[in-house]
Structure formats: C-alpha cells, structure tokens
C-alpha cells in the first residue's frame, strides 16, 4: 500500500475548512485514502485527528496518484 509522510501546512491545522477541502477531493478520487488511518473522504474523521500546523501525518491508500494528490493538499495552507 503506497504511503507518504507529510507535514501539515495549514496555519490552523486540519480543522474545518482544510478538512472539508481534503475530504471533497478524496471523495472525487475514487480510491481509498487514509490520513493517519482515518478515512480521508470524511472531514469529521480528519478533524478528529487534531493534527496541527507542523505535525507530521501519514497519507496512505491503494493508489499512488491518489496518495500524492491528498498529500499535496495536506502540505498546503488551505486556510489562506
């Protein structure tokens, strides 16, 4: 299973707005992707991680392209 460790780039961490953007994109990808073991297509599950700016998380899935896509979003400041 492909995976990638990334640093959370959003200034507020993986809270409401960044989590919603990530979950929406993950839902569009058509493959299973997780962030620290939780479903990346669920904004509520992403928020339960409590991941803050600068924290390292593990993005994993069954497709390398999907993992790379979600990892790139996690690294961005989506709250800017």
């Amino acid at each position: 299973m492909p995976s990638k460790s990334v640093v959370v780039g959003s200034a507020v961490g993986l809270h409401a707005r960044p989590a919603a953007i990530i979950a929406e994109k993950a839902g569009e990808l058509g493959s299973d992707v997780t962030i620290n073991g939780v479903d990346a297509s669920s904004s509520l599950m992403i928020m339960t991680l409590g991941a803050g700016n600068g924290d390292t998380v593990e993005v994993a899935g069954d497709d390398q392209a999907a993992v790379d896509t979600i990892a790139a979003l996690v690294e961005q400041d989506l709250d800017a």
Side-chain angles (χ1 to χ4, degrees):
M1 177 181 263
S3 67
K4 187 174 190 177
S5 292
V6 293
V7 176
V8 175
S10 288
V12 296
L14 296 181
H15 292 283
R17 187 169 190 273
I21 293 168
I22 292 167
E24 181 178 354
K25 187 62 175 179
E28 294 171 358
L29 294 174
S31 82
D32 292 330
V33 180
T34 62
I35 301 173
N36 281 5
V38 303
D39 183 2
S41 65
S42 169
S43 58
L44 182 60
M45 293 305 293
I46 293 171
M47 288 187 292
T48 65
L49 293 172
N53 177 266
D55 289 350
T56 301
V57 296
E58 187 76 18
V59 179
D62 53 10
D63 177 60
Q64 185 66 54
V67 168
D68 291 342
T69 299
I70 298 305
L73 286 174
V74 171
E75 290 176 317
Q76 293 178 29
D77 186 357
L78 298 174
D79 209 47

